[in-house]
Amino acid sequence: NINLNITGDSSRQNEESRMRKLLAGKEVRKKLPILQWLPNYTTEKLLADLVAGITIGLTILPQGLAYASLGGLPPQYGLYSSFVGCIIYIFLGSTTAVTIGPTAVLAIMTLSYSSGQPPAKGVMLGLLTGIVTLFMGVFKLGFIVNFISAPVNSAFTSAAAITICSTQIKALLGLSYPAEGFLSIITGAVDHIYEVKLNDTLLSIACIVTLLVLQHIPNVFSSYEKSYPKLHKWLWLISVARNAIVIVVCTVIFTIMGPDATHVKVVGNITSGLPPFQLPPLHFWDSQTNATYSFGTLLKEDASAIVVMPLLALMEHITIAKAFAGTSRVDASQEMLTIGVANIIGTFFSSMSVTGSFSRTAVNHASGVQSPMGGLFTGILVLLSLQFLTPYFYFIPKASLGAVIVCAVIFNVDFAVLYPMWKTKKMDLLPWAVTFIISLLVGLEFGILSGLIISIVFLLYYAARPGVRVSKGETLSGVPFILVASDRSLVFPAIEYTRYIILKSGRVWGKDYLPVVIDCQHIHYADFTAAQGMRDLFKMYNEKKQELILWRIKPSIVRILTQVMEVANVPFKHCSTEAELEVHLLQSHVQNTTVHFNNGLTEDSNGSIDITRRIHFSNTDADEDMDMDNDNTSNVTVVEDSSSGSSSPPGLQMASDRRRARKGAQH
């Protein structure tokens, strides 16, 4: 026996050890998704990823230069930000097509926080984004993004696109004047309209037209797709690489002609070579203001960046990941960890804030990428460009970079969403309008924060104003009562409003004597504050000798209420079935009117009441009492007849039908 016990314990311990190892291995594979797909990686997938990676590299090179300029940073910082995220995603990314790098939205937010300051401020913002995002991923706080409603997201995206386009007016028209923000840029352009450079303007128009034509060229020749599939593939590749084609052609032309001959503004000197590997700038010195800034100064002076930058990074990335994941589940926590790690490691290479890019992810998906390994080839192409091609970036016209930015974001302006909102729910136009106006006129960071606050306020309002259905009814025995039904659980924001409606129903409809029945069918949860509110409600009804009954209440709710009621020594009635409810109503009616109802009831040998027919509810025809004191702000549904379409208790029938049936029987 001793040996058997020892053997059994050893076997059990071995089984537990195996289970722990299995769970640990599963957790490791979850945190390192590369361990899941790498064992099944094939040569065919490698070739597909190679094509997709090079395609993304051709796309990210001009966008990186443009987005760095948009963020107020030297152009090379856009390339510094374009290779780390792609490589990090190979190991930590949980989806196939998402590609990480600089984006227009994060670039314009970087400009709003670091305008006029050294590039180290932009890198510091990237470090802040990474730390907060990593923290949110570890503690699974990504649900915060879900509090931003679709109207707020649409308004912010539209305002950001318009703001980004406005920042390129100076580059497109060859103007030079100090201005920041949408209004100042527009008014400045109007004031300096006579200083517009013709060559820059014509070049920008030519680049925009060329980009739009190349973007739609596969659709123009779509009828030849089946007849000439190779031609269609080449046209698609040209369309995808349109940004690189325009930038390369313009650079070659102005390198040969020289910018002095054409009087077109060019990018100028770009620091060549790979970025130095160094610690992120926790403090830096601004030569213009002769002031020293630290990470603590950033948190103090730009406190909103703690929320805005990570929030926007998560919004962009999670939305993109879900859009291209198909039927696969997106591990939001893992994606947040990936974004956090990519931003933190990127700051060691002087990277600005990065996240998933919608345009490049769409191209990556259309290129037939099979795994995140495509990011390796994108990163290699960016590093080769930094090492060998940066001297040739000197002659890139600023007008062509501005055209690339405008064509990349202009289609994000979405005013078409207004009409569906107007037709479906006009209230959603309020958060859209507030977010759009504040983002455009005050600042994008204030706009997104305003939208987030409005979204939360709307949620709190709906939580504090549950739908309450009030009706008059009577049992088969003719006992009248008031039925109150709520459409959701009892929580602390809603208890005051629910109590108000129940008290009002008992006073206005019940005339302070009819029993009030609370249908608890949809109440699945109640907190301590709600239980205290119900305790006070029963106190008030007990004091005025009016019956209050909880019907179809869950046992878990009964346990919560019982604890609170017993402490305060407040009696309360509750029941689960219709038979129990009719017994309570009959007993209350007998006590109040001393009238005995025996229709459908018999007494057993012990004298107790036996229910022989099912309870029926009826809605009473409404008169002036239905007005509920003209409370137009309430969310109360007053039922007047059974044709209202609202859900009703079993056996619901018209009170007038009941009267006619009784009169016919008497006749």
Side-chain angles (χ1 to χ4, degrees):
N1 290 335
I2 293 176
N3 291 334
L4 286 175
N5 287 336
I6 293 176
T7 303
D9 291 342
S10 177
S11 176
R12 187 162 54 249
Q13 291 174 357
N14 292 336
E15 182 65 23
E16 292 176 356
S17 177
R18 284 195 296 269
M19 288 298 296
R20 283 195 296 268
K21 291 180 180 179
L22 180 63
L23 293 175
K26 183 178 180 181
E27 187 67 20
V28 170
R29 288 192 298 272
K30 184 178 180 181
K31 297 302 180 184
L32 290 174
I34 188 176
L35 299 177
Q36 301 178 23
W37 56 264
L38 188 59
N40 301 321
Y41 200 65
T42 61
T43 305
E44 290 78 8
K45 292 182 179 180
L46 178 63
L47 293 175
D49 291 341
L50 175 62
V51 174
I54 294 176
T55 304
I56 296 303
L58 295 175
T59 305
I60 203 173
L61 288 176
Q63 285 189 348
L65 296 171
Y67 292 155
S69 301
L70 176 62
L73 303 175
Q76 67 268 18
Y77 278 76
L79 300 182
Y80 295 166
S81 311
S82 301
F83 67 90
V84 175
C86 297
I87 297 175
I88 293 297
Y89 202 79
I90 298 174
F91 300 94
L92 301 179
S94 62
T95 67
T96 300
V98 172
T99 176
I100 297 178
T103 64
V105 173
L106 288 184
I108 193 66
M109 293 309 305
T110 300
L111 176 65
S112 66
Y113 286 111
S114 62
S115 178
Q117 297 188 17
K121 179 67 173 294
V123 179
M124 191 181 290
L125 287 170
L127 178 62
L128 175 65
T129 302
I131 293 174
V132 176
T133 307
L134 182 63
F135 175 84
M136 295 176 67
V138 170
F139 291 95
K140 303 183 184 299
L141 301 178
F143 67 90
I144 296 176
V145 180
N146 299 329
F147 285 95
I148 300 178
S149 61
V152 171
N153 190 17
S154 172
F156 174 79
T157 303
S158 299
I162 295 174
T163 303
I164 292 169
C165 290
S166 69
T167 60
Q168 301 307 303
I169 289 178
K170 292 188 287 185
L172 295 175
L173 302 180
L175 298 175
S176 296
Y177 57 90
E180 294 179 12
F182 175 76
L183 285 180
S184 60
I185 292 175
I186 297 299
T187 55
V190 173
D191 294 337
H192 296 79
I193 192 66
Y194 297 105
E195 301 175 9
V196 171
K197 303 297 188 295
L198 181 61
N199 291 345
D200 291 272
T201 304
L202 293 177
L203 177 62
S204 61
I205 293 174
C207 290
I208 291 175
V209 172
T210 303
L211 288 170
L212 294 178
V213 170
L214 292 180
Q215 180 179 356
H216 295 92
I217 195 171
N219 298 331
V220 174
F221 295 95
S222 60
S223 58
Y224 298 98
E225 179 178 357
K226 295 182 179 179
S227 303
Y228 304 97
K230 292 185 178 180
L231 175 62
H232 184 268
K233 289 183 179 180
W234 278 105
L235 293 176
W236 176 85
L237 182 60
I238 292 173
S239 175
V240 167
R242 61 186 179 274
N243 294 331
I245 292 173
V246 169
I247 296 298
V248 169
V249 170
C250 291
T251 304
V252 171
I253 292 175
F254 288 96
T255 301
I256 297 173
M257 298 179 61
D260 296 334
T262 57
H263 302 288
V264 172
K265 293 184 178 180
V266 295
V267 172
N269 289 318
I270 296 179
T271 304
S272 61
L274 300 177
F277 180 78
Q278 57 189 5
L279 291 175
L282 298 179
H283 58 83
F284 62 90
W285 177 66
D286 189 354
S287 59
Q288 296 182 357
T289 60
N290 197 26
T292 301
Y293 295 90
S294 64
F295 198 72
T297 306
L298 170 65
L299 299 179
K300 182 179 179 180
E301 295 182 354
D302 300 314
S304 61
I306 303 175
V307 178
V308 174
M309 297 293 289
L311 190 63
L312 293 178
L314 292 179
M315 279 177 56
E316 284 194 89
H317 188 86
I318 299 300
T319 303
I320 294 165
K322 290 182 179 180
F324 290 93
T327 57
S328 302
R329 177 182 175 272
V330 175
D331 189 345
S333 298
Q334 181 65 25
E335 292 299 306
M336 285 187 291
L337 290 173
T338 306
I339 291 296
V341 172
N343 276 281
I344 293 174
I345 296 180
T347 56
F348 286 85
F349 298 92
S350 302
S351 169
M352 58 190 289
S353 299
V354 297
T355 188
S357 167
F358 190 89
S359 60
R360 294 193 297 273
T361 300
V363 172
N364 201 27
H365 182 269
S367 300
V369 68
Q370 296 296 313
S371 73
M373 187 64 76
L376 175 64
F377 306 108
T378 300
I380 292 175
L381 185 58
V382 173
L383 291 174
L384 291 175
S385 300
L386 278 169
Q387 184 65 33
F388 300 108
L389 299 180
T390 46
Y392 302 99
F393 294 159
Y394 179 94
F395 296 101
I396 295 178
K398 290 186 177 181
S400 61
L401 287 179
V404 168
I405 294 176
V406 169
C407 292
V409 302
I410 190 62
F411 296 103
N412 290 331
V413 179
D414 182 21
F415 292 135
V417 72
L418 296 178
Y419 181 73
M421 282 193 291
W422 175 264
K423 296 295 290 184
T424 55
K425 192 171 184 181
K426 296 179 178 61
M427 184 62 71
D428 286 336
L429 291 172
L430 176 61
W432 191 98
V434 171
T435 304
F436 181 79
I437 294 173
I438 294 179
S439 297
L440 202 61
L441 302 182
V442 181
L444 292 174
E445 65 274 23
F446 298 103
I448 191 63
L449 289 177
S450 300
L452 177 62
I453 292 173
I454 291 177
S455 298
I456 295 176
V457 168
F458 271 37
L459 288 176
L460 293 177
Y461 176 80
Y462 292 134
R465 289 293 185 271
V468 182
R469 183 176 178 273
V470 182
S471 58
K472 280 186 177 181
E474 61 181 31
T475 67
L476 281 178
S477 303
V479 179
F481 63 94
I482 305 299
L483 180 66
V484 181
S486 177
D487 64 353
R488 67 196 69 173
S489 297
L490 278 178
V491 289
F492 64 91
I495 185 60
E496 285 299 324
Y497 177 77
T498 305
R499 282 177 49 192
Y500 166 73
I501 296 301
I502 294 173
L503 286 171
K504 200 172 194 179
S505 301
R507 175 173 56 84
V508 177
W509 278 23
K511 305 298 184 183
D512 286 329
Y513 73 89
L514 287 181
V516 176
V517 178
I518 303 176
D519 187 355
C520 304
Q521 180 183 9
H522 300 293
I523 300 178
H524 303 282
Y525 170 79
D527 55 26
F528 179 72
T529 305
Q532 285 186 320
M534 295 302 297
R535 175 201 63 193
D536 298 337
L537 191 64
F538 272 98
K539 277 185 180 180
M540 287 183 278
Y541 269 85
N542 292 340
E543 289 174 358
K544 62 180 182 178
K545 307 300 182 182
Q546 188 176 7
E547 200 72 36
L548 181 64
I549 304 172
L550 303 177
W551 176 48
R552 293 199 284 192
I553 188 171
K554 306 292 188 296
S556 59
I557 309 299
V558 173
R559 286 193 296 270
I560 296 173
L561 294 178
T562 300
Q563 296 295 327
V564 176
M565 298 292 185
E566 287 181 352
V567 172
N569 195 24
V570 177
F572 75 105
K573 289 185 178 181
H574 61 88
C575 58
S576 301
T577 64
E578 295 177 0
E580 294 175 352
L581 176 60
E582 185 166 8
V583 169
H584 284 303
L585 292 173
L586 287 174
Q587 290 176 347
S588 173
H589 192 64
V590 168
Q591 293 173 0
N592 293 334
T593 62
T594 66
V595 178
H596 297 279
F597 295 92
N598 296 316
N599 184 21
L601 302 177
T602 59
E603 293 186 2
D604 57 18
S605 58
N606 297 325
S608 60
I609 298 177
D610 178 32
I611 301 296
T612 59
R613 64 173 61 182
R614 191 172 179 223
I615 189 171
H616 283 253
F617 296 92
S618 58
N619 294 323
T620 303
D621 294 328
D623 52 18
E624 64 276 3
D625 292 337
M626 301 289 185
D627 188 47
M628 296 295 291
D629 292 350
N630 294 320
D631 186 7
N632 295 325
T633 62
S634 65
N635 194 21
V636 180
T637 301
V638 180
V639 178
E640 299 185 14
D641 56 62
S642 59
S643 62
S644 63
S646 303
S647 59
S648 305
L652 185 68
Q653 60 177 264
M654 290 289 295
S656 56
D657 294 339
R658 293 275 296 124
R659 294 195 195 96
R660 284 193 293 269
R662 287 198 296 268
K663 289 180 181 179
Q666 293 173 358
H667 180 71

